[in-house]
Amino acid sequence: MGDVVKALLPWEDPAGFLGGLPAGIDAQYYAGGERPALDSVEFYVPGYMGSSEVIEVVGEMPALKVIQTQTAGYENLLPHLREGVTLCNARGVHDASTAELAVGLILASYRRLPRAVKNQERGEWPSEYQELDDSLADRTVLILGYGSIGEALERRLDGFECEIVRVARRARDGVHAIAELPELLPRADVVVLLTPATAETRGMVDGKFLAQLKDGALLVNVARGVVVDTDALLAELKTERIRAAVDVTDPEPLPAGHPLWSAPNILINPHRGGASTAFSPRVARLVRAQLERYATGQPLINVVAGPPR
Protein backbone atom coordinates (compact mmCIF):
# COMPACT_ATOMS: atom_id res chain seq x y z
CA MET A 1 0.00 0.00 0.00
CA GLY A 2 1.48 3.34 -1.04
CA ASP A 3 1.30 6.70 0.72
CA VAL A 4 -1.74 7.63 -1.37
CA VAL A 5 -4.53 5.12 -2.00
CA LYS A 6 -6.28 5.34 -5.34
CA ALA A 7 -10.00 4.77 -4.94
CA LEU A 8 -12.65 4.45 -7.63
CA LEU A 9 -16.03 5.69 -6.39
CA PRO A 10 -19.45 5.99 -8.06
CA TRP A 11 -20.22 9.57 -7.01
CA GLU A 12 -19.22 12.57 -9.13
CA ASP A 13 -18.41 14.52 -5.98
CA PRO A 14 -17.12 11.77 -3.69
CA ALA A 15 -15.68 14.17 -1.15
CA GLY A 16 -19.00 15.98 -0.91
CA PHE A 17 -21.02 12.77 -0.71
CA LEU A 18 -18.78 11.30 1.98
CA GLY A 19 -18.43 14.52 3.92
CA GLY A 20 -14.76 14.73 3.01
CA LEU A 21 -12.24 12.11 1.91
CA PRO A 22 -10.03 10.54 4.59
CA ALA A 23 -6.37 11.53 4.56
CA GLY A 24 -4.33 9.45 2.13
CA ILE A 25 -7.19 8.80 -0.30
CA ASP A 26 -7.18 10.03 -3.89
CA ALA A 27 -10.58 9.32 -5.45
CA GLN A 28 -11.84 9.32 -9.01
CA TYR A 29 -15.31 8.80 -10.42
CA TYR A 30 -16.77 5.91 -12.39
CA ALA A 31 -20.37 4.70 -12.71
CA GLY A 32 -20.26 3.29 -16.23
CA GLY A 33 -19.41 4.78 -19.61
CA GLU A 34 -15.99 6.33 -20.24
CA ARG A 35 -13.43 4.83 -17.91
CA PRO A 36 -10.68 6.71 -16.09
CA ALA A 37 -7.20 5.25 -15.65
CA LEU A 38 -7.60 2.02 -13.69
CA ASP A 39 -4.03 0.73 -13.34
CA SER A 40 -3.44 2.04 -9.82
CA VAL A 41 -6.91 1.62 -8.31
CA GLU A 42 -6.71 -0.27 -5.00
CA PHE A 43 -10.19 0.35 -3.57
CA TYR A 44 -13.34 0.10 -5.70
CA VAL A 45 -16.94 0.90 -4.82
CA PRO A 46 -19.26 -0.22 -7.68
CA GLY A 47 -22.42 1.76 -8.29
CA TYR A 48 -25.52 0.70 -6.35
CA MET A 49 -27.35 -2.01 -8.35
CA GLY A 50 -24.62 -1.49 -10.94
CA SER A 51 -24.75 -2.79 -14.49
CA SER A 52 -22.66 -5.71 -15.69
CA GLU A 53 -20.20 -3.16 -17.13
CA VAL A 54 -19.64 -1.67 -13.68
CA ILE A 55 -19.01 -5.13 -12.24
CA GLU A 56 -16.83 -6.54 -15.03
CA VAL A 57 -14.48 -3.55 -14.88
CA VAL A 58 -12.81 -5.14 -11.83
CA GLY A 59 -10.89 -7.31 -14.29
CA GLU A 60 -9.08 -4.19 -15.56
CA MET A 61 -7.64 -3.18 -12.17
CA PRO A 62 -4.32 -5.01 -11.65
CA ALA A 63 -3.63 -3.19 -8.35
CA LEU A 64 -7.08 -3.82 -6.90
CA LYS A 65 -7.12 -4.92 -3.26
CA VAL A 66 -10.65 -4.16 -2.02
CA ILE A 67 -14.17 -4.12 -3.44
CA GLN A 68 -16.77 -2.50 -1.19
CA THR A 69 -20.35 -3.07 -2.32
CA GLN A 70 -23.30 -0.83 -1.57
CA THR A 71 -25.56 -3.86 -1.27
CA ALA A 72 -25.91 -6.61 1.29
CA GLY A 73 -26.00 -9.19 -1.52
CA TYR A 74 -22.74 -9.84 -3.32
CA GLU A 75 -23.27 -13.04 -5.32
CA ASN A 76 -23.00 -11.14 -8.63
CA LEU A 77 -19.42 -10.12 -7.81
CA LEU A 78 -18.06 -13.49 -6.77
CA PRO A 79 -17.37 -14.70 -10.36
CA HIS A 80 -15.20 -11.62 -10.93
CA LEU A 81 -13.26 -11.82 -7.66
CA ARG A 82 -9.68 -12.87 -8.29
CA GLU A 83 -7.28 -14.24 -5.72
CA GLY A 84 -6.00 -11.69 -3.23
CA VAL A 85 -8.92 -9.26 -3.56
CA THR A 86 -11.06 -8.65 -0.49
CA LEU A 87 -14.82 -8.28 -0.92
CA CYS A 88 -16.83 -6.36 1.69
CA ASN A 89 -20.60 -5.99 1.64
CA ALA A 90 -22.89 -3.30 3.01
CA ARG A 91 -24.22 -5.23 5.98
CA GLY A 92 -26.27 -2.86 8.10
CA VAL A 93 -26.76 -0.17 5.45
CA HIS A 94 -30.12 -1.51 4.27
CA ASP A 95 -31.49 -2.74 7.57
CA ALA A 96 -33.86 0.18 8.12
CA SER A 97 -35.11 0.47 4.53
CA THR A 98 -35.66 -3.25 4.01
CA ALA A 99 -37.30 -3.78 7.38
CA GLU A 100 -39.65 -0.86 6.75
CA LEU A 101 -40.61 -2.24 3.36
CA ALA A 102 -41.26 -5.71 4.79
CA VAL A 103 -43.66 -4.19 7.33
CA GLY A 104 -45.27 -2.13 4.57
CA LEU A 105 -45.79 -5.17 2.35
CA ILE A 106 -47.37 -7.11 5.20
CA LEU A 107 -49.75 -4.30 6.11
CA ALA A 108 -50.60 -3.47 2.49
CA SER A 109 -51.47 -7.08 1.80
CA TYR A 110 -53.33 -7.66 5.06
CA ARG A 111 -55.36 -4.45 4.82
CA ARG A 112 -55.87 -4.84 1.04
CA LEU A 113 -54.44 -1.43 0.17
CA PRO A 114 -54.03 -2.32 -3.54
CA ARG A 115 -57.82 -2.71 -3.68
CA ALA A 116 -58.23 0.75 -2.14
CA VAL A 117 -55.90 2.22 -4.79
CA LYS A 118 -57.95 0.64 -7.57
CA ASN A 119 -61.16 1.95 -6.04
CA GLN A 120 -59.65 5.43 -5.81
CA GLU A 121 -58.60 5.32 -9.46
CA ARG A 122 -62.16 4.42 -10.40
CA GLY A 123 -63.66 6.97 -8.04
CA GLU A 124 -65.60 4.25 -6.23
CA TRP A 125 -66.55 4.10 -2.56
CA PRO A 126 -67.90 0.58 -2.00
CA SER A 127 -70.91 0.60 0.31
CA GLU A 128 -69.69 -2.53 2.07
CA TYR A 129 -67.17 -5.33 1.81
CA GLN A 130 -68.02 -8.98 2.14
CA GLU A 131 -65.02 -9.78 4.36
CA LEU A 132 -62.99 -8.19 7.12
CA ASP A 133 -59.41 -7.12 6.50
CA ASP A 134 -56.73 -9.10 8.28
CA SER A 135 -54.90 -7.66 11.25
CA LEU A 136 -51.26 -8.25 12.11
CA ALA A 137 -52.24 -8.44 15.77
CA ASP A 138 -52.34 -11.98 17.16
CA ARG A 139 -50.49 -13.38 14.12
CA THR A 140 -47.27 -15.41 13.98
CA VAL A 141 -44.50 -13.94 11.80
CA LEU A 142 -41.65 -16.27 10.86
CA ILE A 143 -38.47 -14.47 9.83
CA LEU A 144 -36.34 -16.78 7.69
CA GLY A 145 -32.73 -15.62 7.49
CA TYR A 146 -32.54 -13.90 10.86
CA GLY A 147 -29.58 -11.52 10.77
CA SER A 148 -29.20 -7.76 11.14
CA ILE A 149 -32.17 -7.02 8.85
CA GLY A 150 -34.24 -9.59 10.72
CA GLU A 151 -33.36 -7.87 13.98
CA ALA A 152 -34.38 -4.53 12.48
CA LEU A 153 -37.65 -6.05 11.27
CA GLU A 154 -38.41 -7.48 14.70
CA ARG A 155 -37.84 -4.07 16.31
CA ARG A 156 -40.37 -2.56 13.92
CA LEU A 157 -42.88 -5.32 14.51
CA ASP A 158 -42.63 -4.80 18.25
CA GLY A 159 -45.92 -3.18 19.22
CA PHE A 160 -48.00 -4.89 16.53
CA GLU A 161 -48.89 -7.58 19.10
CA CYS A 162 -47.64 -10.46 16.95
CA GLU A 163 -45.45 -13.45 17.77
CA ILE A 164 -42.02 -13.62 16.15
CA VAL A 165 -40.36 -16.90 15.17
CA ARG A 166 -36.69 -16.50 14.22
CA VAL A 167 -34.97 -18.93 11.85
CA ALA A 168 -31.38 -18.95 10.61
CA ARG A 169 -29.02 -21.47 9.04
CA ARG A 170 -27.80 -22.55 12.47
CA ALA A 171 -29.62 -22.55 15.80
CA ARG A 172 -28.57 -20.10 18.50
CA ASP A 173 -30.18 -18.65 21.58
CA GLY A 174 -33.73 -17.67 20.61
CA VAL A 175 -33.22 -18.62 16.95
CA HIS A 176 -34.32 -21.89 15.34
CA ALA A 177 -32.23 -23.80 12.82
CA ILE A 178 -33.44 -23.95 9.23
CA ALA A 179 -33.73 -27.73 9.64
CA GLU A 180 -36.73 -27.10 11.92
CA LEU A 181 -38.80 -25.48 9.15
CA PRO A 182 -41.11 -28.49 8.61
CA GLU A 183 -42.35 -28.05 12.19
CA LEU A 184 -42.37 -24.24 12.12
CA LEU A 185 -43.93 -23.38 8.75
CA PRO A 186 -47.43 -24.74 9.53
CA ARG A 187 -47.56 -22.36 12.52
CA ALA A 188 -46.74 -19.23 10.55
CA ASP A 189 -49.30 -16.70 9.35
CA VAL A 190 -46.57 -14.65 7.66
CA VAL A 191 -43.18 -15.86 6.37
CA VAL A 192 -40.64 -13.12 5.62
CA LEU A 193 -37.68 -14.19 3.47
CA LEU A 194 -34.38 -12.47 4.30
CA THR A 195 -31.93 -15.15 3.19
CA PRO A 196 -28.96 -14.40 0.92
CA ALA A 197 -28.80 -15.96 -2.53
CA THR A 198 -26.50 -18.97 -2.23
CA ALA A 199 -26.33 -22.44 -3.72
CA GLU A 200 -28.19 -23.70 -0.63
CA THR A 201 -31.00 -21.12 -0.74
CA ARG A 202 -31.60 -21.02 -4.51
CA GLY A 203 -35.08 -22.46 -5.08
CA MET A 204 -35.44 -23.21 -1.37
CA VAL A 205 -39.04 -21.98 -1.37
CA ASP A 206 -40.36 -24.72 -3.63
CA GLY A 207 -43.61 -26.63 -3.88
CA LYS A 208 -42.84 -28.70 -0.78
CA PHE A 209 -42.04 -25.57 1.24
CA LEU A 210 -45.20 -23.77 0.12
CA ALA A 211 -47.40 -26.82 0.75
CA GLN A 212 -46.43 -26.66 4.42
CA LEU A 213 -47.91 -23.18 4.79
CA LYS A 214 -51.36 -22.91 6.29
CA ASP A 215 -54.30 -21.73 4.18
CA GLY A 216 -54.26 -17.93 3.93
CA ALA A 217 -50.58 -17.61 4.85
CA LEU A 218 -48.65 -14.64 3.45
CA LEU A 219 -45.19 -15.07 1.89
CA VAL A 220 -43.10 -11.87 1.86
CA ASN A 221 -39.88 -11.91 -0.20
CA VAL A 222 -37.47 -9.05 0.46
CA ALA A 223 -34.43 -11.31 -0.09
CA ARG A 224 -33.61 -12.40 -3.66
CA GLY A 225 -35.96 -13.62 -6.36
CA VAL A 226 -34.06 -16.87 -6.93
CA VAL A 227 -34.80 -18.02 -3.38
CA VAL A 228 -38.37 -18.75 -4.57
CA ASP A 229 -39.31 -21.27 -7.26
CA THR A 230 -41.50 -19.02 -9.41
CA ASP A 231 -43.45 -21.86 -11.01
CA ALA A 232 -44.24 -23.36 -7.60
CA LEU A 233 -45.37 -19.97 -6.29
CA LEU A 234 -47.58 -19.42 -9.34
CA ALA A 235 -49.20 -22.81 -8.86
CA GLU A 236 -50.12 -21.95 -5.26
CA LEU A 237 -51.30 -18.43 -6.09
CA LYS A 238 -53.62 -19.70 -8.80
CA THR A 239 -55.46 -21.77 -6.22
CA GLU A 240 -55.74 -18.62 -4.05
CA ARG A 241 -54.76 -20.75 -1.05
CA ILE A 242 -51.92 -18.44 0.00
CA ARG A 243 -50.86 -14.85 -0.65
CA ALA A 244 -47.55 -13.23 -1.54
CA ALA A 245 -46.00 -9.78 -1.38
CA VAL A 246 -42.62 -9.53 -3.10
CA ASP A 247 -39.93 -6.95 -3.67
CA VAL A 248 -37.87 -9.32 -5.81
CA THR A 249 -38.72 -11.84 -8.52
CA ASP A 250 -37.15 -14.49 -10.70
CA PRO A 251 -36.69 -13.46 -13.48
CA GLU A 252 -35.85 -9.85 -12.69
CA PRO A 253 -36.81 -7.39 -14.03
CA LEU A 254 -40.13 -9.18 -14.41
CA PRO A 255 -40.94 -8.99 -18.14
CA ALA A 256 -44.23 -7.65 -19.44
CA GLY A 257 -46.77 -10.41 -19.84
CA HIS A 258 -45.19 -12.67 -17.23
CA PRO A 259 -47.92 -14.66 -15.43
CA LEU A 260 -46.85 -13.30 -12.03
CA TRP A 261 -48.20 -9.88 -13.03
CA SER A 262 -51.73 -11.23 -13.37
CA ALA A 263 -51.65 -13.91 -10.68
CA PRO A 264 -54.22 -13.55 -7.90
CA ASN A 265 -53.25 -12.73 -4.33
CA ILE A 266 -49.86 -11.13 -5.08
CA LEU A 267 -48.48 -7.65 -4.49
CA ILE A 268 -45.34 -6.87 -6.55
CA ASN A 269 -42.92 -4.08 -5.69
CA PRO A 270 -40.12 -3.52 -8.28
CA HIS A 271 -37.03 -4.21 -6.10
CA ARG A 272 -37.09 -1.06 -4.01
CA GLY A 273 -36.07 -2.55 -0.67
CA GLY A 274 -32.99 -0.38 -0.18
CA ALA A 275 -34.12 2.63 -2.17
CA SER A 276 -35.13 5.08 0.54
CA THR A 277 -33.77 8.26 2.08
CA ALA A 278 -32.17 6.10 4.78
CA PHE A 279 -29.73 4.65 2.24
CA SER A 280 -27.41 7.53 1.31
CA PRO A 281 -26.26 8.65 4.78
CA ARG A 282 -25.68 5.08 5.88
CA VAL A 283 -23.69 4.00 2.84
CA ALA A 284 -21.65 7.22 3.01
CA ARG A 285 -20.71 6.50 6.63
CA LEU A 286 -19.74 2.92 5.79
CA VAL A 287 -17.60 3.77 2.73
CA ARG A 288 -15.81 6.64 4.46
CA ALA A 289 -15.05 4.45 7.47
CA GLN A 290 -13.76 1.64 5.24
CA LEU A 291 -11.54 4.01 3.27
CA GLU A 292 -10.09 5.40 6.48
CA ARG A 293 -9.52 1.91 7.84
CA TYR A 294 -7.77 0.83 4.65
CA ALA A 295 -5.62 3.95 4.40
CA THR A 296 -4.46 3.61 8.02
CA GLY A 297 -3.98 -0.16 8.01
CA GLN A 298 -6.90 -0.95 10.33
CA PRO A 299 -8.94 -4.15 9.79
CA LEU A 300 -11.87 -3.78 7.41
CA ILE A 301 -15.39 -4.75 8.50
CA ASN A 302 -18.05 -6.70 6.58
CA VAL A 303 -15.49 -8.93 4.84
CA VAL A 304 -17.44 -11.66 3.02
CA ALA A 305 -14.82 -13.12 0.66
CA GLY A 306 -11.08 -12.96 0.03
CA PRO A 307 -8.36 -12.27 2.58
CA PRO A 308 -9.09 -10.14 5.67
CA ARG A 309 -7.43 -6.74 5.67
Side-chain angles (χ1 to χ4, degrees), residues 209-237:
F209 182 109
L210 296 170
Q212 296 174 82
L213 298 179
K214 64 171 66 174
D215 291 354
L218 172 64
L219 179 74
V220 178
N221 190 2
V222 286
R224 286 290 187 266
V226 295
V227 172
V228 177
D229 181 326
T230 300
D231 290 339
L233 178 60
L234 272 168
E236 284 283 2
L237 291 173

Side-chain angles (χ1 to χ4, degrees), residues 116 118-126 129:
K118 292 177 182 177
N119 288 338
Q120 180 179 347
E121 290 173 346
R122 293 191 295 258
E124 294 179 0
W125 187 293
Y129 290 119

Side-chain angles (χ1 to χ4, degrees), residues 6 62 65 88 96 128 130 151 159 165 177 179 211 215 257 263 267-268 277:
K6 294 286 187 178
K65 299 293 190 297
C88 304
E128 62 179 283
Q130 298 300 314
E151 293 171 0
V165 177
D215 291 354
L267 172 59
I268 300 174
T277 54

Side-chain angles (χ1 to χ4, degrees), residues 17-309:
F17 182 80
L18 300 176
L21 288 169
I25 299 293
D26 178 21
Q28 47 192 347
Y29 165 77
Y30 176 69
E34 185 176 351
R35 300 174 186 176
L38 303 176
D39 290 351
S40 58
V41 171
E42 295 180 42
F43 195 109
Y44 179 42
V45 181
Y48 178 60
M49 303 296 286
S51 64
S52 58
E53 176 190 8
V54 167
I55 294 170
E56 291 165 2
V57 75
V58 300
E60 301 177 29
M61 302 179 195
L64 186 64
K65 299 293 190 297
V66 178
I67 302 172
Q68 171 65 61
T69 74
Q70 298 185 67
T71 56
Y74 53 87
E75 65 278 359
N76 57 336
L77 277 158
L78 289 176
H80 304 277
L81 194 68
R82 66 177 179 271
E83 186 175 357
V85 176
T86 300
L87 178 62
C88 304
N89 76 341
R91 186 180 191 274
V93 166
H94 299 284
D95 291 4
S97 294
T98 305
E100 286 177 359
L101 179 62
V103 174
L105 289 172
I106 295 170
L107 294 176
S109 183
Y110 263 17
R111 301 310 300 263
R112 296 179 174 87
L113 297 186
R115 178 180 62 182
V117 171
K118 292 177 182 177
N119 288 338
Q120 180 179 347
E121 290 173 346
R122 293 191 295 258
E124 294 179 0
W125 187 293
S127 58
E128 62 179 283
Y129 290 119
Q130 298 300 314
E131 71 283 341
L132 294 173
D133 288 345
D134 289 311
S135 173
L136 187 48
D138 307 323
R139 302 293 178 139
T140 297
V141 179
L142 186 152
I143 301 174
L144 178 52
Y146 190 82
S148 64
I149 299 177
E151 293 171 0
L153 174 58
E154 182 172 3
R155 289 195 298 271
R156 283 155 179 80
L157 290 173
D158 185 33
F160 279 97
E161 302 175 36
C162 55
E163 178 189 3
I164 304 296
V165 177
R166 310 167 195 89
V167 182
R169 185 170 58 177
R170 300 184 185 88
R172 56 184 189 271
D173 188 28
V175 182
H176 296 273
I178 200 167
E180 299 177 63
L181 279 176
E183 293 77 41
L184 299 173
L185 287 175
R187 292 174 43 195
D189 297 292
V190 181
V191 175
V192 181
L193 304 177
L194 288 171
T195 57
T198 66
E200 291 77 22
T201 63
R202 183 177 292 269
M204 176 179 66
V205 181
D206 56 9
K208 181 179 178 181
F209 182 109
L210 296 170
Q212 296 174 82
L213 298 179
K214 64 171 66 174
D215 291 354
L218 172 64
L219 179 74
V220 178
N221 190 2
V222 286
R224 286 290 187 266
V226 295
V227 172
V228 177
D229 181 326
T230 300
D231 290 339
L233 178 60
L234 272 168
E236 284 283 2
L237 291 173
K238 287 176 180 177
T239 69
E240 302 191 36
R241 191 184 72 81
I242 66 169
R243 290 173 282 180
V246 302
D247 183 54
V248 289
T249 60
D250 181 31
E252 190 175 304
L254 196 62
H258 192 282
L260 264 185
W261 286 118
S262 56
N265 284 2
I266 188 168
L267 172 59
I268 300 174
N269 191 60
H271 204 152
R272 303 286 294 166
S276 82
T277 54
F279 169 65
S280 293
R282 286 163 171 77
V283 78
R285 286 195 294 269
L286 172 64
V287 171
R288 193 184 193 287
Q290 291 284 70
L291 285 169
E292 187 164 11
R293 284 172 175 270
Y294 183 73
T296 58
Q298 300 176 64
L300 298 179
I301 62 171
N302 293 0
V303 174
V304 292
R309 294 189 185 275

Side-chain angles (χ1 to χ4, degrees), residues 4-25:
V4 176
V5 174
K6 294 286 187 178
L8 190 61
L9 307 179
W11 309 290
E12 290 194 66
D13 179 16
F17 182 80
L18 300 176
L21 288 169
I25 299 293

